[in-house]
Amino acid sequence: MKILVTGGLGYIGSHTVVELLNNNHSVVIVDNLINSKIEVLDNLKIITKKEIDFYQIDILNFIELEKIFKKYKFDAIIHFAGLKAVGESCDKPLLYYENNVSGSINLYNLAIKHNVKNIVFSSSATVYGDDFKVPFKEEYGLGTCTNPYGETKKINEIILTDLSKTDKDLSVVLLRYFNPVGASKTQLLGENPNGIPNNLVPYIAKVAIKELPYLNVYGNDYNTPDGTAIRDYIHIIDLAKGHLKAVEYAVKNKGIEVINLGTGKGTSVLEMVKAYEKASNIKIDYKIQPRRKGDIETCFADTAKAKKLLNFETEYDIEEMCLDSYNYMIKNIK
Ligand code: NAD
Ligand code: UFG
């Protein structure tokens, strides 16, 4: 298949491109590099030994984006392009609605105009909000989000659901990711955000390489076994493989499906700290801080639907996630 991958140089997109190319699909990447580097493209070529068509285009630019749709006949689109910093979205809601909603609407308009019938969208477990009991099941639908970022994911889900009602030939998979961590085994792709990371594992990684002095653990008074919050961490390679299965499912099945991509296992913040210490053999200092605003207590996936529809099961455990994260950080210390 020929697949348009928006945001394909980002963290999840780049790992997915590897899986797509290794399974004999061809990809065209569109990315404006707002949160990625062009070196990722070189690394993708090194890893896969394949040519990749890349265009530095903002999906908000309808005219430039349409040139791509005129140049290629796509079988499917995997839509990763979006801004993802929860805190920033609270400070700059319009930026998030414009980029993540208006940009997506451009893309969906072009998909319809150019007859691309298969779309896989990057949604998030954040759309469940704090409304439901774990494990989160797809049938629960949309909960209450505490931030504009989450709202943009919900709006995209609603738009694609409505669109699928208007065109019976359309096939949409809404993938609700839990918490992706880790890196490619090649150590050429991974996550190393500039500045102070918002997310747990990138932060621990920077403590491990002594770029930051200690981890702030946000809250140890949750109703969990060790008092710290619980998440469903999924290895980025497993997540990328889930996209391969989802896009292959989309071309064979019409209609819309919401599918969780997680492991179904919950891990607390302190368990993750211990796993990282074991994998890296480095002590991770931490200080307990008050809860972080907007955080929920416990979040993990019901994985039955992913297993049933996609035959998707995860392979890697948290120690391997930590080991791959650490190896990537060591290799990429500047
Ligand atoms: P990322 O920031 O690494 O990748 C997103 C890519 O999209 C970047 O390369 C960025 O440059 C590009 N991009 C952003 N806006 C664009 C625009 N207007 N035009 C063209 N390119 C644009 O993020 P990621 O972690 O790889 O996430 C990919 C998708 O998955 C995002 O939509 C994100 O919201 C979603 N998601 C991520 C997580 C997570 O924890 N990483 C969890 C749930 C959902
Ligand atoms: N945490 C800390 N210290 C830190 C960073 C995080 O204690 O320095 C804690 C948080 O309070 C939370 C847990 O670690 O309890 C996980 O936090 P992350 O920021 O790593 O992840 P979140 O679950 O808050 O959110 C992530 C993405 C969202 C996505 C969601 C999907 O940031 O975009 O996963 O479940 F929507």
Side-chain angles (χ1 to χ4, degrees):
M1 283 194 278
K2 183 164 278 300
I3 302 167
L4 172 63
V5 183
T6 72
L9 295 189
Y11 176 47
I12 308 172
S14 59
H15 288 83
T16 300
V17 165
V18 171
E19 298 304 324
L20 295 173
L21 292 174
N22 285 346
N23 285 275
N24 299 319
H25 298 297
S26 74
V27 302
V28 175
I29 296 177
V30 163
D31 198 305
N32 67 353
L33 301 180
I34 188 124
N35 198 34
S36 51
K37 298 200 175 67
I38 193 66
E39 294 86 79
V40 172
L41 182 64
D42 302 327
N43 289 339
L44 283 171
K45 290 177 184 167
I46 293 169
I47 294 168
T48 62
K49 301 184 182 59
K50 296 210 173 131
E51 274 312 303
I52 301 165
D53 292 352
F54 168 69
Y55 297 88
Q56 185 174 349
I57 292 174
D58 192 319
I59 59 166
L60 283 165
N61 188 333
F62 188 92
I63 292 169
E64 286 302 308
L65 195 56
E66 180 152 41
K67 289 182 187 164
I68 306 300
F69 279 83
K70 285 182 174 155
K71 184 162 180 187
Y72 300 93
K73 170 84 192 88
F74 296 117
D75 299 295
I77 298 170
I78 307 182
H79 178 30
F80 293 103
L83 298 172
K84 63 167 182 176
V86 172
E88 186 186 52
S89 80
C90 297
D91 298 334
K92 299 175 183 170
L94 272 182
L95 175 71
Y96 273 68
Y97 286 112
E98 186 172 31
N99 197 75
N100 294 5
V101 179
S102 304
S104 296
I105 290 174
N106 273 346
L107 183 72
Y108 305 149
N109 267 318
L110 286 167
I112 288 165
K113 189 171 170 190
H114 293 271
N115 226 19
V116 185
K117 297 290 187 186
N118 303 299
I119 301 174
V120 174
F121 174 67
S122 297
S123 190
S124 168
T126 199
V127 302
Y128 289 111
D130 207 358
D131 303 32
F132 308 111
K133 282 205 176 83
V134 284
F136 291 151
K137 295 182 200 298
E138 293 85 348
E139 70 210 38
Y140 289 163
L142 301 171
T144 315
C145 285
T146 52
N147 58 77
Y149 164 74
E151 296 296 343
T152 70
K153 294 295 172 194
K154 280 166 59 179
I155 294 169
N156 270 275
E157 288 205 10
I158 291 165
I159 293 171
L160 287 167
T161 304
D162 288 343
L163 263 184
S164 73
K165 290 178 194 156
T166 66
D167 181 352
K168 295 288 166 248
D169 289 331
L170 201 62
S171 176
V172 176
V173 180
L174 305 172
L175 292 177
R176 292 185 181 158
Y177 314 150
F178 285 70
N179 293 49
V181 298
S184 160
K185 303 279 174 195
T186 63
Q187 296 157 23
L188 291 171
L189 303 173
E191 191 179 29
N192 184 8
N194 291 330
I196 297 181
N198 295 309
N199 297 119
L200 179 65
V201 173
Y203 203 112
I204 296 177
K206 292 210 176 201
V207 175
I209 63 166
K210 315 283 180 228
E211 217 176 286
L212 291 168
Y214 58 86
L215 171 72
N216 295 301
V217 172
Y218 297 126
N220 68 347
D221 56 351
Y222 286 106
N223 187 21
T224 61
D226 66 19
T228 64
I230 288 175
R231 295 290 181 275
D232 184 340
Y233 298 94
I234 174 169
H235 197 297
I236 188 71
I237 299 173
D238 282 326
L239 189 69
K241 288 181 176 161
H243 286 77
L244 172 69
K245 287 181 178 259
V247 75
E248 290 180 344
Y249 175 88
V251 296
K252 289 191 200 123
N253 299 275
K254 298 297 163 206
I256 185 159
E257 293 292 350
V258 179
I259 303 179
N260 288 336
L261 290 181
T263 65
K265 291 189 195 79
T267 302
S268 75
V269 174
L270 289 181
E271 283 170 340
M272 194 50 119
V273 168
K274 282 195 199 99
Y276 213 101
E277 286 180 331
K278 194 169 170 201
S280 63
N281 207 17
I282 288 171
K283 171 114 183 57
I284 306 294
D285 290 327
Y286 65 85
K287 290 188 184 172
I288 303 294
Q289 305 288 3
R291 294 181 181 193
R292 190 171 69 176
K293 206 169 145 260
D295 274 351
I296 63 171
E297 183 170 279
T298 300
C299 170
F300 58 88
D302 185 303
T303 57
K305 191 171 177 187
K307 168 78 179 132
K308 187 170 168 219
L309 294 192
L310 306 182
N311 194 25
F312 175 74
E313 278 178 305
T314 55
E315 190 179 333
Y316 300 109
D317 62 12
I318 55 167
E319 267 176 35
E320 194 132 3
M321 297 177 209
C322 294
L323 184 64
D324 292 335
S325 155
Y326 180 65
N327 286 339
Y328 173 77
M329 289 304 281
I330 292 290
K331 176 98 182 275
N332 290 278
I333 293 175
K334 296 249 158 63

